[in-house]
Amino acid sequence: MVAFFLAAKTETILFSQVDYSCTPEEVQQHFQSCGTVNRVTIRTNKFGQPKGYAYVEFLEPEAVQQALLLSESELHGRQLKVTAKRTNVPGMKVFRARRPNPYMGSRAMNPYMPPPFYSPYGF
């Protein structure tokens, strides 16, 4: 069996403890000393409010090591926590069967269900 994995993007970091009023331009200026910033993504919820963490993608992989040194630096008076972005490995999720819903009633597990038995005597 031949297994192959997709090339993981190693140029991205995740940093948390981001101030809610922080803009992508300010984040780019903060990480500009590490290398060329390609993209800044500040995660938001469904209402558009920031979640408190963001991703920074660099053009060169060496910039990630420089950015990890900026962990515990301050931006907008908050101490940042910088980590390398993890990548999901295909096939690592464990399959868990769905539990039956107790409110759906009981169904036969067999797709063929015999017809109900009627007494020939009418009882």
Side-chain angles (χ1 to χ4, degrees):
M1 182 172 137
V2 177
F4 68 94
F5 296 101
L6 299 174
K9 280 218 170 227
T10 58
E11 298 91 11
T12 307
I13 61 166
L14 163 73
F15 68 102
S16 54
Q17 306 296 330
V18 181
D19 187 32
Y20 295 144
S21 64
C22 200
T23 63
E25 291 80 21
E26 293 170 335
V27 172
Q28 183 175 1
Q29 288 176 354
H30 186 76
F31 288 102
Q32 195 69 36
S33 63
C34 302
T36 308
V37 176
N38 185 28
R39 176 174 41 196
V40 175
T41 306
I42 298 177
R43 299 293 298 173
T44 58
N45 63 9
K46 65 181 180 179
F47 302 111
Q49 304 297 324
K51 286 187 171 184
Y53 66 94
Y55 294 101
V56 177
E57 182 180 324
F58 295 101
L59 289 178
E60 53 273 340
E62 299 83 24
V64 174
Q65 298 303 321
Q66 296 294 324
L68 291 177
L69 298 175
L70 287 179
S71 186
E72 299 180 6
S73 63
E74 283 196 9
L75 180 65
H76 277 253
R78 297 190 65 166
Q79 195 172 14
L80 299 178
K81 182 179 172 186
V82 181
T83 57
K85 180 185 172 202
R86 69 176 182 87
T87 56
N88 292 333
V89 178
M92 291 300 291
K93 184 176 179 179
V94 178
F95 175 75
R96 294 189 328 189
R98 294 177 59 183
R99 293 184 359 190
N101 189 348
Y103 301 107
M104 292 296 289
S106 62
R107 291 188 188 174
M109 297 302 255
N110 191 353
Y112 172 74
M113 195 166 153
F117 176 76
Y118 294 109
S119 173
Y121 303 109
F123 300 116

